[in-house]
Amino acid sequence: MSIEETDSQVVITHPSNSNTSVTILKYGATVTSWKLNGEEQLWLSTAAKLDGSKPVRGGIPLVFPVFGKNQNDELLSKLPQHGFARNSTWEFLGQVKSNPPTVQFGLNPKIANQELVKLWPLDFNLILTIELGEDFLKTAIEVENASEENMKFNWLFHTYLHIEDIEDTMVSNLVGMKVYDQLLKESFIDKHPVVTFHQETDSIYQNVDSDRLIQVVGKGKPLHTVKRENLPDAVVWNPWVDKSAGMGDFEPKDGFKNMVCVEPGHVSDFVVLPPGQKWSAAQILSKQELNYQAIEP
Ligand code: BG6
């Protein structure tokens, strides 16, 4: 069987390669592991809470309906950092395709974290579709506004990629992009041909064309390629020494050397979705450039 469901998670194994698999925790519909031919592609803290007591530190947490801690919006400012999708247990909707194996998870206000969702009284249906290819992982989101008024939200896939050595890692294809540095609280055009890491980094690259693949290269080898569909922004984050030390669920403490977050999102402004409308977006992760053609289901 290529799909195994337990009370807490769903594991998909690729039918033509038993060493390629993805594990999705129902809490947060968080991908906690993606193995490609036996090799783990994502970083997961050894102290990550997988029991629903807090969002997972690592893997692919889902950020909705707000990115970061909002200070200005009347409704969104009431929510905790990164919203409530990552703190809610999603419903497993089952398998929708056998090859590549594809599953769906759903979230709506009835099943979302009640304490948090009551702070944002809008009606919505979220459907997350996870497709495990032989050489890629696609996570796609559809947001439906089921309320009577416009829905204003951010979306982001908070993807923690596994790398061998942060000081010998570069993130490419962001040159010339406008970036907002969340630490300096300044915007500028990034003129560096590649992003390299020597300290804490927390940058929002804005309006990056979707045909610009973001590539992570480690010790000269292409490690990850991140393709975005309808997600104009990309956050690049590494907490480095002090920030990692301050996060109780970040272990080992030098784990920042083995991770970099490249987070496709719609975060520098809000999606404004009229009543009854749907919005969708996706990220496709692979090791090298993929000639991935989105196929309508
Ligand atoms: C990133 C933000 O997306 O998430 C950072 O840009 C933040 O500012 C990081 O520190 C982790 O957030 P959290 O809530 O999971 O600790």
Side-chain angles (χ1 to χ4, degrees):
M1 252 245 301
S2 70
I3 300 199
E4 275 175 61
E5 181 188 2
T6 66
D7 284 350
S8 61
Q9 65 180 32
V10 174
V11 181
I12 315 177
T13 307
H14 198 277
S16 38
N17 184 344
S18 61
N19 293 320
T20 291
S21 62
V22 60
T23 303
I24 310 115
L25 195 68
K26 292 181 185 173
Y27 183 71
T30 316
V31 172
T32 53
S33 162
W34 170 40
K35 286 192 183 132
L36 206 52
N37 210 10
E39 220 181 287
E40 181 58 58
Q41 302 298 308
L42 302 174
W43 182 86
L44 179 67
S45 164
T46 56
K49 296 281 182 222
L50 303 176
D51 60 359
S53 56
K54 64 183 297 184
V56 177
R57 176 69 60 203
I60 314 180
L62 304 176
V63 170
F64 173 88
V66 66
F67 170 73
K69 183 73 192 99
N70 183 282
Q71 313 285 357
N72 312 313
D73 186 79
E74 207 191 315
L75 280 182
L76 292 168
S77 59
K78 298 189 175 139
L79 289 171
Q81 158 127 328
H82 294 342
F84 54 74
R86 65 177 185 165
N87 325 51
S88 294
T89 301
W90 292 51
E91 183 187 2
F92 178 50
L93 301 175
Q95 183 170 5
V96 289
K97 203 159 65 173
S98 56
N99 202 3
T102 306
V103 298
Q104 289 187 325
F105 290 81
L107 189 72
N108 59 55
K110 287 195 197 76
I111 61 168
N113 184 316
Q114 292 302 299
E115 226 174 280
L116 300 179
V117 83
K118 71 175 184 220
L119 304 171
W120 195 66
L122 290 169
D123 197 2
F124 60 87
N125 285 306
L126 301 187
I127 295 182
L128 176 76
T129 304
I130 299 184
E131 180 177 345
L132 177 69
E134 248 185 291
D135 51 4
F136 70 89
L137 178 71
K138 178 172 183 180
T139 58
I141 189 66
E142 181 187 274
V143 179
E144 181 188 3
N145 180 3
S147 47
E148 310 277 301
E149 54 193 287
N150 278 350
M151 182 183 278
K152 209 164 123 182
F153 62 89
N154 296 133
W155 179 269
L156 174 123
F157 292 106
H158 199 305
T159 307
Y160 288 74
L161 298 170
H162 181 264
I163 54 169
E164 279 171 32
D165 176 5
I166 189 70
E167 292 197 76
D168 206 340
T169 293
M170 40 196 209
V171 175
S172 70
N173 281 335
L174 292 169
V175 61
M177 295 294 107
K178 185 170 176 198
V179 60
Y180 177 70
D181 186 316
Q182 300 223 82
L183 304 171
L184 299 174
K185 311 226 173 301
E186 267 174 23
S187 289
F188 52 91
I189 302 290
D190 194 350
K191 298 259 174 70
H192 297 94
V194 290
V195 184
T196 53
F197 302 87
H198 313 285
Q199 58 192 3
E200 185 181 349
T201 302
D202 191 353
S203 304
I204 306 175
Y205 287 85
Q206 301 174 335
N207 288 317
V208 183
D209 276 351
S210 57
D211 56 6
R212 231 177 224 258
L213 300 174
I214 302 174
Q215 291 194 291
V216 180
V217 176
K219 299 184 194 279
K221 283 186 296 188
L223 295 183
H224 305 281
T225 300
V226 181
K227 183 169 161 55
R228 295 156 297 114
E229 288 178 358
N230 205 21
L231 293 171
D233 306 313
V235 179
V236 176
W237 181 63
N238 184 286
W240 216 256
V241 180
D242 294 345
K243 179 109 186 175
S244 304
M247 290 187 278
D249 60 352
F250 195 103
E251 291 284 352
K253 283 298 164 210
D254 65 356
F256 70 90
K257 294 179 180 166
N258 301 117
M259 53 81 52
V260 64
C261 283
V262 175
E263 310 163 25
H266 195 306
V267 297
S268 24
D269 57 14
F270 292 108
V271 177
V272 181
L273 192 61
Q277 300 288 300
K278 290 177 179 170
W279 173 90
S280 46
Q283 77 168 3
I284 299 137
L285 306 175
S286 61
K287 261 196 115 50
Q288 304 208 12
E289 183 179 348
L290 250 193
N291 192 14
Y292 182 88
Q293 295 289 337
I295 302 164
E296 288 302 312

